[in-house]
Amino acid sequence: MHDKPFFEQSVPYLEHLQQPFYSKFIAVSNHYPYAEFTNDEAGFPLADTPDETINGYFATANYLDTAVEEFFDYLKESGLYENSAIVLYGDHYGISDGRNENLAELLGKDSEDWDEYDNAQMQRVPYMIHIPGQDNGEINHTYGGEVDAMPTLLHLLGVDTKNYIQMGQDLLSDEHQEIAAMRDGSFVSPDYTNYSGTLYDNETEEPIESPSEEEQETVDQLQNTVNEQLETSDKVTQRDLLRFHNESGLEPIDPNDYDYTNIDERLRNIEEELGDDSTSIYSENNNESTADEYESKSYQEYHPEVQEELEEENNNNGSQDRE
C-alpha cells in the first residue's frame, strides 16, 4: 500500500486507542525500485541520469514527504500532535553503492572522483524527534547509529534505563562516545571514516595512506570499540542471552494477551467499558470520528498546472497516433 492511503486508513485505529499509546508506522513508497508514478501522482520532475532507479527516487521521496505532511496536519487537527512524542527515522541507505556514480552529479560531485568516503556519507539516515512544548528545535551535529535511537528517546521521555541492557547511547548526553558502527566493521567518527578497508580524514575527505603513530593508536581504539559492540550484539541475539537477565524490572508478557484480529471492534469495546474514563481521541471528541479532519490529495490535485500539461501531452500523442 502506498503511504498516503496507509496513513489515512490508520485513523480509525488511532482515534480509538487509549492514551497514552505507542504506535509505529513503516512507510514503504520511497523504497527500491523507486518506480515512476503513472496515475494522478505522476508529474513530479524526474532526475535525468542513465539510471532509472535514481531518476524515480526524488519523485517517491516527494510523495513520502507529502504523505507525512498530510499525516502531521491530521495529528494537529485531531489534537494528537501536541500530546505526542513523534520520531521519524530511516532504517538504511536510499541508493546502493553501485549506483552512486550516477548520483554524483546531482550532489555536485564528479563521478570520476567518487570514492568510498562518499559511499560512507550516503549511509546517513534522518533521525528527527518532535516533543510537545519544544519550540526552539535545532540540528544536533553528533555521530551515532540506529542502535542509539531507543536510549535517546527513552531518556527524553524521562525513563530510567540503568537496569536495562542496551547496546546504544543517549545521543543528547555530553558523555556519549561519538561513533557509528556498521555491520561489516566499518565506522564513522568525528575525525575518521573507516569504510570498506580504507581510512579517511574527515576534514580533508582524503585517504590516510600512512597514518602517524598517534593516528593509528586512535583508530585502533575506535576499531576495538566497534568490534566489541558487534561481538556483544551477536552474542546477545544469537545465544538469546537476554533470557538470563532478571534485573530489568520488566514483567514477562503472555503472548495470548495480545490479539490483533478484529482490532477495531476490540478498541470500541474498551471505550464502552471505560465510559467517561476513556482517553481515546474519539471519546474526547464527543464520540465523533476525526476521520473528516484528514485531507489527502494527489500530486496533480496539489499542482493542477501539471495535470493540464499531462492531459495536453496525452491529447497531442493521441492525435499523432491517429495520423
Side-chain angles (χ1 to χ4, degrees), residues 45-279:
L46 303 180
D48 184 17
T49 77
D51 192 321
E52 292 302 321
T53 294
I54 292 175
N55 295 344
Y57 174 84
F58 300 95
T60 58
N62 173 264
Y63 177 87
L64 170 61
D65 287 346
T66 305
V68 171
E69 180 181 17
E70 291 177 347
F71 184 58
F72 268 54
D73 287 342
Y74 162 75
L75 294 178
K76 293 174 182 178
E77 290 295 326
S78 67
L80 279 171
Y81 182 79
E82 289 302 333
N83 196 32
S84 300
I86 305 171
V87 180
L88 297 95
Y89 69 97
D91 60 342
H92 59 76
Y93 59 84
I95 303 296
S96 61
D97 288 357
R99 301 178 183 274
N100 284 340
E101 288 189 4
N102 287 323
L103 181 65
E105 184 178 352
L106 300 177
L107 301 178
K109 303 277 292 187
D110 188 331
S111 61
E112 294 185 1
D113 296 331
W114 190 276
D115 58 17
E116 294 295 351
Y117 179 84
D118 297 304
N119 284 334
Q121 296 304 302
M122 297 301 295
Q123 296 293 320
R124 292 177 296 177
V125 295
Y127 181 59
M128 297 175 280
I129 303 176
H130 157 80
I131 53 177
Q134 179 64 269
D135 57 5
N136 58 340
E138 63 178 13
I139 297 176
N140 191 323
H141 295 282
T142 189
Y143 288 76
E146 298 275 3
V147 72
D148 302 316
M150 185 173 71
T152 303
L153 179 60
L154 288 177
H155 286 180
L156 271 177
L157 295 174
V159 177
D160 186 351
T161 61
K162 65 177 180 295
N163 290 329
Y164 299 166
I165 292 180
Q166 298 183 105
M167 303 299 166
Q169 309 170 78
D170 180 354
L171 292 174
L172 301 179
S173 169
D174 293 334
E175 299 177 2
H176 91 276
Q177 185 177 15
E178 294 191 67
I179 188 169
M182 302 184 196
R183 185 60 257 182
D184 64 353
S186 299
F187 67 82
V188 180
S189 71
D191 297 319
Y192 303 103
T193 293
N194 189 3
Y195 192 77
S196 293
T198 303
L199 179 65
Y200 292 89
D201 183 315
N202 287 353
E203 184 175 356
T204 64
E205 301 183 5
E206 295 294 331
I208 302 177
E209 303 291 352
S210 301
S212 67
E213 184 176 337
E214 182 179 356
E215 286 176 328
Q216 189 63 59
E217 182 179 353
T218 300
V219 171
D220 287 344
Q221 290 176 349
L222 291 170
Q223 190 65 66
N224 289 337
T225 298
V226 168
N227 293 342
E228 183 179 8
Q229 286 183 4
L230 295 174
E231 290 172 6
T232 302
S233 176
D234 287 343
K235 288 178 180 178
V236 170
T237 55
Q238 294 173 7
R239 302 179 187 180
D240 192 20
L241 297 184
L242 289 180
R243 60 198 165 104
F244 299 113
H245 182 57
N246 301 315
E247 300 176 0
S248 67
L250 300 175
E251 297 181 2
I253 64 169
D254 183 351
N256 295 320
D257 292 338
Y258 296 86
D259 181 3
Y260 296 101
T261 59
N262 301 320
I263 188 64
D264 51 345
E265 180 181 349
R266 292 161 61 86
L267 291 174
R268 289 176 181 272
N269 289 338
I270 292 174
E271 286 174 331
E272 292 180 5
E273 292 173 3
L274 291 174
D276 293 339
D277 293 328
S278 173
T279 60

